[in-house]
Amino acid sequence: MKRMLTLSLGAAMVASVTPALGQAFPDTPENHWAYQAVLGAKAAGFLVGYPDGMFRGPRPASRYEMAAALYALYMNLKGVSDGLAAQYNALNEKIGKMGGGSTEGLATKAEVKAVMDALDALKRQMPGQGKDFTADIDALKKMTSTFEKELASQGVDVEATKKGIEDLSKRVKALEERKMPVDIHGDLNFWMGSGYGTDDETGITFDGRPTTGAENGFAKNLRMGHEASMTISGNNDNGPKWWATFVTGNLTEFDGSAIFGNQSHVLDGEGWSEPKTDFYVQNAGIQFNTSLFGQDFNATVGRVGFKAGPYFFQRPDNTPYFSNERWDNGQWIFDGAIFDFHFGSSTFTLFGGRDGGDWDNLQTSNGVPINTMMAGSAGHIFDPTTTGLDERPRGYGNHNGIMVDEHLGARFSIPLGEKGKANFNYMIFDQNGTTFIGSSTTVNRAIVFGGDFNYMFGENLSIDGGYSQSNLNSDSTNVIDGDNAAYWANLGYKGNKFSVKAGYKSIDPQFYAPGSWGRIGIWWNPTDIKGFYGSVMFDLSEKLSLGVYGAMYEGSETTINGVTGLTGDDTINHYKAHLNYKVNDAWNLMIGGEFVNWDLAARGSFDGGKPEERWYNIGLKYNMGENAWLSFLWQISDYDSKGTSGFNPFFSSATKAKGGFLTSQASIKY
């Protein structure tokens, strides 16, 4: 708008100017440098020329001609302002009708789309316009006074014009301060996956799934997934905040068919298939501030999400081939409440509610739990000969675990100066039924407690660590309270073009809080291990970066009920590396690999062995814009159990898994 003001007034003042769309003036040459400017001013109604249709560019503009252009500009600005106000009021009325409580008041899909389109159009007009309008109106005020006599001589009511400009200024200010009553945004995702096998084998993915199904061949194994979400939230400055996210797609599970199943479990050993389109409510909440007994606190109620650290309460990212915030943000979704009490700079948080176990309300329209929560892993030790367990640990949450139906937790966070924080957690997870431990003992409750901390020394050096323990109960009676802890410590340094991190962790065989603490090949949330790990990131150039990760673990050498799992003679080496290259502003290339080497000692009737897991990755990502991207990943797998008992890649007699998996995802946010 400011640019149009400059062009239009300049067109009347400068000797050589010209327009832009269609025919300008007969005496204005098309090859003149200002032709487009004059054409634009004429199209906007700012320039009308002389009665004979000529522009007469070389002639200086008179004050009367300047006044005519000025008045035309005022009428144009007034029209734009009136239009924006009318659009805003129409949308308000439309949204009000959509919010009725009766069936007649419900909006149709066409009405929702019309409102969303109108919102988008209005948003494109509003950003920055208020500021431009204000500057233009200020200029109009000054120039109206300057050309007062000339305007009056042309029959313009100058006083009415001045009043109109002042009213216009007030209306623009009101428009700047207005916000739409609701905000609508979301995302669209399209996913493709297909695999193949080599050497008469089938490949294996990170989550332990075969790359091919019953039908062999890349084209016949092609699977297509889609999911779209819409979030509606309030824009009110006062009163409670509210929001709701609705999702539809076929990424969940139905009648044995699944692409990703649900948002928490790994479908190890299961193939890829396309289920029916599903619908679910990801979250829907109200947040408000209130006080009780003089203590202020924030309350969030509804279908809410929360996480409290990877070794306590955090949902694993079970979709390594799909990137999406609601699937990957680590929050457990539950129907309940979160209360935050603030004591100075410290915060005490209470959270709890119903989880996706027995409760149908936390399921999709096809009856799939949104994110089933598991806790506890009693007596789960890898020892195929003694225990009869013919498969090594893989996935998570599917071995002697408690399926959580309700939980209650407390988290107390205190600052450690200005550069650190300590957190203390206590959580109770209950199951409505029972889970057998051994032949007769049952459990139905897990209690997780402990703490973690992080601290920055200066600008570059950081340290973090913690301790967590998970007890298993039968109601209030403790059943397992030993060999069930985890502790860890990390030290990091960030330089100008590199970063380094090193750490140590120890995880007992009976530790299994509902958390997310990593993956070793197809083994998710590993237990019964201890050891060191580290990573290094290098910026080799402005376009090239390298990342390397390595871990060396051994068994915890814990004996439970006379059975010893992984020992100090059993080692697991885990390595990952990736090279990222920024081809240009739009394209990024990634090349990498992951390698897991086992070295298991022989004992008893177990002959030991040296299984190997290998993956090689080539990926491309294309940024289509600020809110849209397209990615491709080709992954080659080479898994060999080397005949080691319990290490077959699938629940079958196959000892190897060789093949490839190609995936692609297109994602757009609106």
Side-chain angles (χ1 to χ4, degrees), residues 383 385-386 564 601-608:
D383 186 50
T385 303
T386 306
T564 302
R603 54 185 182 274
S605 59
F606 178 61
D607 295 331

Side-chain angles (χ1 to χ4, degrees), residues 589-606:
L589 171 68
M590 183 276 295
I591 300 175
E594 180 172 349
F595 314 95
V596 182
N597 298 328
W598 296 75
D599 190 350
L600 303 171
R603 54 185 182 274
S605 59
F606 178 61

Side-chain angles (χ1 to χ4, degrees), residues 263-293:
Q263 293 179 356
S264 60
H265 276 187
V266 172
L267 300 178
D268 52 298
E270 297 188 25
W272 303 80
S273 53
E274 296 178 12
K276 293 182 178 180
T277 297
D278 210 346
F279 172 83
Y280 61 95
V281 179
Q282 179 73 25
N283 54 58
I286 299 174
Q287 186 178 73
F288 57 93
N289 179 268
T290 186
S291 62
L292 184 64
F293 302 120

